[in-house]
Structure formats: structure tokens, C-alpha cells
Amino acid sequence: MQIDILTLFPQVFPTFISSGILQRAIDRELITVNITNIRDYTHDKHHTVDDSPYGGGAGMVLKPEPIFEAVEAIKPDPADRHKVGEFPVILLTPQGRLFSQQIAQELSVYKHLVLICGHYEGVDERVRQHLATDEISIGDYVLIGGELAAMVVVEAVARLIPGVLGSAASPIDDSHANGLLEYPQYTRPQSYRDWDVPEVLLSGNHGEIARWRREQAIIRTWKRRPDLLDKANLNPAEKQFIKRLETEQAEPT
Ligand code: SAM
């Protein structure tokens, strides 16, 4: 997958990209990350990227021209034939659709993504209307710029690309991957300060372990994020199990 990030602050990305798993994915040519400085697409001697808002008000707004030109200059990877217009051009904005594991999965099948980081008061509306094909928010809060949001999207999407994580199975049981939070994880030592690892995990019985993990994932989701259960893929026995949990909770002790 080719990922192009357009930003006014290219200097914040190199350390992020060269972190373990992402760097390995780049080395193995599973992903390419290109950072474009929006300022390189200005034509005046001051390299102006922003201007005051029409109608007045505080702050500055990113001008449309450098952003349009930066996106239009993106060269798709010669290995695939995708052209501008055939891949998502994502504007990072607190007004976008709320990012989730499901959206990460949806984006992970593309061969190419373009992420536009805004700054200051935001971006001229014509970028949203005529250039972006998608708008993503990473949460109901306002950041200074879109750089952290771009990093969140890159990490969440990249780890879903086959081969990026060591084991192909590892994203499958992750929290949110199947609508449930993940079961509890333990490692050595077997006993720490008298806190023991659950017996079943030491049993070597893979069927029992899988059953225990599934049950724990359901209990954990029911306790912490019951809102997720409506959309989780549960069989009739598991739905009954949740009913039992609810009944037990409702019973006076
Ligand atoms: N005035 C804008 C508004 O109220 O919608 C907020 C602008 S914010 C200070 C500057 C930039 O940070 C945005 O253009 C966007 O790229 C990025 N940003 C801020 N919060 C974000 C969020 N929750 N998700 C994604 N990007 C965000």
C-alpha cells in the first residue's frame, strides 16, 4: 500500500515511520509512506499556505491551491495502475466520520491512501467539497493539527495489511476486530506476587482455552462496553449466556 501524507509539519513523521513494525513493513515493501510538505506547492516568495477567513473571525485557514496541487502531483506507485480519483483522499478533521476498527479494515484493502493534515482554523471548504473523498475524525475533541490523526490512521490500517504483523492471526482476536474486546492475556511468570495465571491457560487443551477466551471476551465486553454487543457476531448459546449474566446481575445478593 502506498500512503501519501500531506502536511505543513513533515518533520514530525520520520521517527514515527521508523518505529519497529512500520519500518519493517517498509523494508519488506508492504507499505510505502511518502510525506509531502504542502508548502512546497506554493508559488509566492513567502510560501504562503494560509490566509484569514472570509467573513472575519479568529485564526487562519489553509488555502486551497497548494493542497489541490500537492494531491494532483502525487505519483501512484508504478506497480499499481491507480490514478488520482481512484483512491481515497482523506481529509483529517474533527467533523469527519468517527474512526474505528471497521473503517481501518475498510481502508486496508486499498492500494493507495492520501491523508491531508489540516492546521490552524482548518482547511478551505473547497478542499472538502471538491478534493477529499472521505473525512475522518479520530475522536470528539480538537487537536492542533491533523498529524497525530494521520499517524493513528496509518498505524491502525498498516497493521491490518497481510504480512505487516508477524503472525497473520494476530489481528483477528484484537479488541474491536470481531465486535468484542479481547480476552485477558498472561505471560510468564506463572505466579507473580501470589497472583496466578488461570489454570485453563496452562492445560494445553486448545479447545478449552479457546472456549475460555471467547467467554472472557464476552464477559469483558458485557461489563465494559455493552454497547458493542448489539453488533457482535454471537451465536444463540452466547446470547443466552449474556441473558444469564444480566439475570444474575439483577438478582438481589
Ligand atoms: N476549526 C476546526 C473545527 O472546529 O472543525 C478545527 C481545526 S483544528 C484546530 C486544525 C486541524 O487539526 C484540522 O484541520 C484537522 O486536520 C486536525 N484535527 C483536529 N482535531 C481532529 C480530530 N479530532 N480528528 C482528525 N483531525 C483533527
Side-chain angles (χ1 to χ4, degrees), residues 92-95 116-123 136-139 141-146 149:
L92 296 155
T93 162
Q95 302 178 22
I116 303 173
C117 307
H119 219 81
Y120 312 122
E121 271 310 301
V123 174
I136 286 180
S137 164
I138 60 158
Y141 42 78
V142 177
L143 301 163
I144 293 172

Side-chain angles (χ1 to χ4, degrees), residues 191-233:
S191 186
Y192 177 65
R193 297 188 177 184
D194 287 340
W195 299 313
D196 295 335
V197 172
E199 275 298 318
V200 61
L201 297 178
L202 312 172
S203 68
N205 183 331
H206 297 297
E208 278 301 308
I209 292 171
R211 261 190 297 283
W212 181 84
R213 285 181 162 166
R214 179 80 184 167
E215 190 175 288
Q216 290 297 314
I218 292 172
I219 294 172
R220 184 159 275 208
T221 310
W222 175 72
K223 280 189 180 156
R224 297 178 184 206
R225 291 292 305 276
D227 56 301
L228 297 178
L229 288 172
D230 289 341
K231 286 196 198 142
N233 196 4

Side-chain angles (χ1 to χ4, degrees), residues 10-30:
Q11 67 274 21
V12 305
F13 287 97
T15 310
F16 163 68
I17 291 167
S18 57
S19 71
I21 288 178
L22 284 186
Q23 183 62 59
R24 215 172 46 229
I26 292 167
D27 293 343
R28 292 164 62 205
E29 297 181 359
L30 296 170

